[in-house]
Amino acid sequence: MASNETPRQWLQRTASRGARWSRLSVIAGTLSTLVLMVQAWCIATIAQRMVIDGADFSSLLIPLLLLPPAFIARGLLVRARTLCGARGGIEIRQSVRKELLERIAVLGPLWARRQHSATLSNRVWDQVDALQGFYADYRPQMLLCAIIPIIILAAVAPLSWAAALILLATGPLIPMNMAMVGIGAKKRQEDQFLEMGRMSRHFLDTLQGLSTLKLFDISKRQANEVHTASESFRRRTMRVLRLAFLSSTVLEFFASVSIALLALYLGFVYLGQFNFGMYDHGINLFIGLFILILAPEFYQPLRELGVHYHAKAEAEAAAEDLMPILNRRVFERDNDQPPWQPRAGLTLSLEGLTARYAGRESPALTEVSLTIQANETLAVIGPSGAGKSTLLNVLMDFMHPEAGTLRVSDGDHPSRALTDIRPDDWQHQIAWVGQSAVIVSGTLADNLRLANAHASDQILKEALEQAALHHWLAELPDGLETRLGEGGRAVSGGQARRIALARAFLRDARLVLLDEPTASLDQESERLVMDALSRLCKGRTVVLLTHRMELLALADRVLMLSQGSVQALDTLEALRAPGGPLARSTKSETEVRHV
């Protein structure tokens, strides 16, 4: 994928994903024109024989019998063309959205957190949807613009070279108008996308901070600001629509004038004022009517292309915003590594590890060296900004160190660098419990099976019992099939945290990563979570981020970080011994936080 690829080149390259539907749409449009020629022949023949030739009814039988099937066939072909175009657009949109979501997953949570959620959702949904008009309508129409006029010229030219010349001379007026309209269309569409993203961010921030705004009694003022942002978006949208309607009006004008010129020519020929542009056969009623019926079809592809031209500008504006994500370079790893499945507890060795966030001058971790033994529980403490979360991100393989290595050993095999292990294999060995447990909209079983998709109901119940949720399960009206999340049963913070713990038990991973698992819990919930954690830590390698002295009691050793460097690493008893860094600490959470 070329980094200097333009939006137009990207749109053309992506079109191959729905090429078969685009081809079917073009074929249906071409066949529709051929059927129209049959209709024109039937109508012109009937008029010529009835009005001029005075032929009997039997001579009209063939065109009369052909005309109804031709009308039906043309209607079916127009519908097929529309359906095929729409299907091609949907197929391409689904492919692009899948690629975009996969790319976001590869870029990782750290990158996603730096993006505003409203902007990201706008890109995934609205801007991908903005590609539909280009692939469903504009691109097939662009191909038909090169096919249909040639077919009609080929049919008209043998009948009257002057009529063909009029069509050929007036046809370019419509593309010229489209080119002039297109100069401002893309810029206005880009402005609309920017305003939509700004409005989405503003509205989401207002919703998330609504309680704070109410408490400070400024919610009405903020509502006015949201109204102002939405009004700005409305004005930009109306500018785009005005341009689209103006373009359609001008196209209709040019097409009508062009058809009128052709009709004037034929009229003057019939009046005997013009005697050029004809061959030896002259121009009778059949030829004139046949040409006039086909003339609108000559301009119709160009008119429709003009109507859909704003879809091209919209798609190019969307592509320009999507391409930086799709083309963004990421840490590349050899995907041909052999499968990795540890057979025993994991030992982690950090050797001179340095990690830095993008755009930051100072590293978040600086030359950290330590070994976490198999089945050991290591607690990590330190003030905010000490590098605790960075350490977890490195262990989860979400962040790649700029120097040093992280080596992994399971006791039965030689140690290997984390970069030599496939990401899926490594993350399959990780169980994670964070400060905010994610509850997805679905049943309790759905939420638990996020950790183990093939777990039976009995295994799910055992995991809930390990997490001290068996009594709560017994109270649920539908048991494991009780719906949680949006539109379902409300879940308290303590219950959500224990659901996350149940997932960790279901995962049965070799490495458990815990980030403040008891934060913001009441005393009873904290006690239940502590009991579950003590069971979870047995027989596993555990890294625990905490500020609470109670959780430090679960740890075999405590790592103290300060400004990205190791300040101390020892048992809790040694750190609290006289002269140790925690010598003056009590069981106060605040004192541990500020050591």
Side-chain angles (χ1 to χ4, degrees):
M1 189 181 298
S3 59
N4 58 349
E5 191 176 35
T6 66
R8 185 173 300 181
Q9 290 170 336
W10 181 84
L11 288 170
Q12 295 296 336
R13 178 172 58 80
T14 308
S16 61
R17 304 177 188 183
R20 56 174 180 160
W21 294 107
S22 181
R23 284 194 295 269
L24 288 173
S25 178
V26 172
I27 290 171
T30 304
L31 290 176
S32 174
T33 299
L34 296 176
V35 171
L36 177 66
M37 295 177 69
V38 174
Q39 289 178 307
W41 178 85
C42 293
I43 295 171
T45 299
I46 292 170
Q48 174 72 28
R49 293 178 182 177
M50 287 183 63
V51 176
I52 305 299
D53 299 342
D56 56 24
F57 183 78
S58 61
S59 66
L60 305 178
L61 191 60
I62 293 176
L64 286 173
L65 289 176
L66 282 177
L67 200 54
F71 276 112
I72 295 172
R74 182 166 164 79
L76 292 175
L77 286 168
V78 169
R79 176 170 174 77
R81 171 189 158 192
T82 302
L83 290 176
C84 289
R87 184 59 195 168
I90 292 171
E91 194 168 283
I92 294 171
R93 281 193 296 120
Q94 289 175 339
S95 172
V96 171
R97 184 170 285 125
K98 179 183 177 184
E99 181 185 357
L100 188 62
L101 291 171
E102 289 175 348
R103 194 65 177 176
I104 291 172
V106 171
L107 290 170
L110 291 182
W111 177 88
R113 286 178 203 149
R114 293 196 296 269
Q115 314 301 311
H116 197 289
S117 53
T119 301
L120 206 55
S121 62
N122 175 258
R123 286 170 173 167
V124 171
W125 298 108
D126 295 335
Q127 298 205 19
V128 173
D129 285 345
L131 303 176
Q132 176 69 18
F134 176 82
Y135 292 115
D137 301 316
Y138 180 82
R139 194 168 186 277
Q141 195 63 43
M142 188 168 59
L143 296 174
L144 287 172
C145 282
I147 297 173
I148 292 177
I150 293 175
I151 294 175
I152 293 176
L153 280 174
V156 170
L159 302 177
S160 169
W161 62 262
L165 188 62
I166 292 173
L167 292 176
L168 197 61
T170 55
L173 294 175
I174 296 176
M176 286 171 59
N177 173 71
M178 286 192 303
M180 289 187 291
V181 171
I183 294 173
K186 183 183 175 185
K187 181 65 171 67
R188 290 192 179 185
Q189 200 68 55
E190 289 173 351
D191 292 343
Q192 186 197 28
F193 275 136
L194 289 173
E195 193 64 29
M196 182 188 295
R198 192 178 77 86
M199 185 184 69
S200 301
R201 293 192 299 271
H202 199 156
F203 184 63
L204 183 60
D205 289 341
T206 300
L207 287 180
Q208 291 175 337
L210 190 58
S211 57
T212 303
L213 297 173
K214 293 290 288 183
L215 288 172
F216 284 100
D217 196 26
I218 57 173
S219 55
K220 290 184 179 179
R221 188 178 73 187
Q222 196 67 20
N224 292 332
E225 292 183 9
V226 171
H227 173 73
T228 302
S230 62
E231 184 65 17
S232 177
F233 176 70
R234 184 192 68 80
R235 286 195 297 268
R236 292 180 186 275
T237 302
M238 292 306 297
R239 289 194 193 108
V240 174
L241 291 176
R242 277 200 300 269
L243 189 63
F245 288 133
L246 177 63
S247 172
S248 299
T249 303
V250 174
L251 292 176
E252 291 293 334
F253 171 76
F254 280 121
S256 300
V257 168
S258 301
I259 295 171
L261 287 174
L262 184 60
L264 281 172
Y265 165 74
L266 293 172
F268 279 119
V269 168
Y270 289 141
L271 292 173
Q273 300 297 316
F274 289 165
N275 57 5
F276 64 89
M278 299 168 283
Y279 302 103
D280 294 337
H281 52 66
I283 296 181
N284 57 14
L285 180 61
F286 170 83
I287 293 175
L289 195 55
F290 183 80
I291 292 173
L292 282 177
I293 292 173
L294 291 183
E297 186 70 8
F298 178 85
Y299 299 106
Q300 188 62 28
L302 298 171
R303 290 159 65 187
E304 289 187 17
L305 186 66
V307 169
H308 299 310
Y309 195 79
H310 70 282
K312 171 180 177 288
E314 186 180 21
E316 287 185 352
E320 194 159 0
D321 201 41
L322 294 174
M323 286 171 59
I325 300 178
L326 296 172
N327 294 348
R328 189 181 181 88
R329 293 181 62 85
V330 295
F331 179 83
E332 296 183 0
R333 180 173 292 171
D334 184 6
N335 290 324
D336 296 329
Q337 296 289 349
W340 177 77
Q341 177 65 43
R343 300 176 183 175
L346 295 180
T347 297
L348 309 178
S349 298
L350 285 68
E351 302 171 358
L353 193 141
T354 298
R356 188 192 312 270
Y357 290 100
R360 300 282 182 86
E361 292 185 5
S362 57
L365 289 177
T366 306
E367 297 183 359
V368 173
S369 296
L370 62 100
T371 298
I372 307 172
Q373 299 296 337
N375 302 329
E376 176 186 21
T377 297
L378 177 72
V380 183
I381 62 174
S384 297
K388 304 185 300 297
S389 296
T390 304
L391 178 62
L392 280 194
N393 284 321
V394 170
L395 293 178
M396 288 186 287
D397 202 25
F398 291 160
M399 185 175 185
H400 307 288
E402 67 175 31
T405 58
L406 170 59
R407 303 192 68 83
V408 183
S409 172
D410 64 353
D412 291 346
H413 298 93
S415 67
R416 63 172 69 184
L418 182 58
T419 53
D420 294 333
I421 299 174
R422 292 190 296 189
D424 290 347
D425 288 345
W426 173 247
Q427 286 163 4
H428 186 72
Q429 296 304 318
I430 297 175
W432 157 259
V433 180
Q435 298 182 37
S436 300
V438 176
I439 303 298
V440 300
S441 181
T443 65
L444 174 58
D446 293 335
N447 274 273
L448 293 173
R449 288 194 175 104
L450 291 176
N452 185 347
H454 305 292
S456 65
D457 287 356
Q458 182 58 37
I459 293 176
L460 297 184
K461 291 176 181 178
E462 291 173 1
L464 290 171
E465 185 172 1
Q466 291 276 31
L469 281 172
H470 51 291
H471 295 301
W472 178 66
L473 175 64
E475 297 171 359
L476 295 178
D478 299 316
L480 291 171
E481 298 305 312
T482 302
R483 293 196 64 82
L484 307 178
E486 185 177 355
R489 186 183 180 92
V491 178
S492 69
Q495 290 165 344
R497 201 72 56 83
R498 279 178 281 155
I499 289 174
L501 281 169
R503 290 175 185 153
F505 280 108
L506 283 168
R507 190 73 165 176
D508 194 25
R510 306 285 181 177
L511 175 62
V512 177
L513 304 177
L514 308 171
D515 184 5
E516 295 285 3
T518 61
S520 306
L521 296 182
D522 59 77
Q523 195 171 20
E524 178 61 19
S525 295
E526 182 177 347
R527 183 186 63 79
L528 293 171
V529 170
M530 287 281 293
D531 292 343
L533 284 174
S534 63
R535 292 190 290 271
L536 179 64
C537 293
K538 291 178 181 176
R540 296 179 174 90
T541 304
V542 180
V543 178
L544 164 66
L545 270 61
T546 185
H547 290 126
R548 300 190 65 82
M549 289 295 297
E550 292 85 349
L551 285 175
L552 292 183
L554 298 175
D556 298 304
R557 289 189 298 165
V558 177
L559 168 65
M560 296 181 64
L561 291 177
S562 177
Q563 297 182 349
S565 299
V566 176
Q567 183 180 359
L569 175 60
D570 213 327
T571 64
L572 178 60
E573 290 75 13
L575 295 176
R576 297 184 65 185
L582 296 180
R584 293 187 298 165
S585 296
T586 65
K587 289 188 178 181
S588 167
E589 175 186 348
T590 305
E591 290 185 66
V592 175
R593 181 180 291 118
H594 295 287
V595 166

